[in-house]
Amino acid sequence: MTPLDPDYDCPDCPRLVAFRNRYRQEEPDWFNGPVPSFGDINGALLIVGLAPGLRGANRTSRPFTGDYAGDLLYQTLGEFGFAKGHYDKRPDDGLTLHNVLITNAVRCVPPENKPIGAEINTCRPYLTNTIAAMTDLKVILTLGKIAHDTTVRMLGYKLKDIPFGHGNAARLDNGLTLVDSYHCSRYNTNTGRLTEDMFRSVFQKIRDIL
Ligand code: URA
């Protein structure tokens, strides 16, 4: 069966392997591998992030966990009933996800949080396999343009036909709805590009669709 997540020693992206290996040396207590998806594979919602943060998901092994972006994401998931328990920035905090799976466009931490095109393309099959395995999937929420673009390409559409826009909801021929949000990164929340209310509105839209 095709894997949903890359192997811990996935060799496919030389730059990411080198970066990962550097941190396996420097920080042997960190996870330092491709971060698997987290949540409910039978869920109706898939959230696609960008890539693990160096000291966040790359350290803890769970998407957005320990990353600044995870504070707003997990808080909002809790408010809308997609998460239960207390998010404590640790993979063993007991937090559970309901009706939602979280994944990343690129599974390994990229230098400076910036994956290159070849890495996004190389990692896309894992997104393809994940979406194929989600038989009850209804909505895909993409966080930021990179997540949006790789998802649109994966689904076989042209970027010009489904442009990225915060709050956009595109109903696709296959019945799925693709919803966009600005990424809940520290940069976007600190600059006011994304406020908590804007992020909540996106989840309200998703709730209404589901
Ligand atoms: N951590 C993740 O796992 N994904 C992101 O997109 C950002 C931080």
Side-chain angles (χ1 to χ4, degrees), residues 49-53 57 63-64 67 69 104 183:
L50 170 59
F64 288 91
D67 283 303
N104 280 308
H183 194 285

Side-chain angles (χ1 to χ4, degrees), residues 150-188:
T150 194
T151 305
V152 167
R153 286 201 168 102
M154 184 256 125
L155 292 167
Y157 293 89
K158 296 217 160 65
L159 298 185
K160 69 171 173 41
D161 294 333
I162 310 181
F164 173 82
H166 177 82
N168 283 0
R171 180 78 199 233
L172 309 178
D173 304 333
N174 60 8
L176 293 178
T177 303
L178 188 64
V179 177
D180 292 336
S181 171
Y182 291 133
H183 194 285
C184 47
S185 66
R186 187 199 314 245
Y187 180 81
N188 283 345

Side-chain angles (χ1 to χ4, degrees), residues 2-8 10 34-38 41 63 101-104 107 123 125-127 129-130:
T2 2
L4 300 181
D5 299 307
D7 284 349
Y8 183 70
C10 176
V35 174
S37 304
F38 169 48
I41 193 77
L101 186 82
I102 306 178
T103 195
N104 280 308
R107 303 298 194 89
C123 217
Y126 296 102
L127 182 63
N129 295 345
T130 301

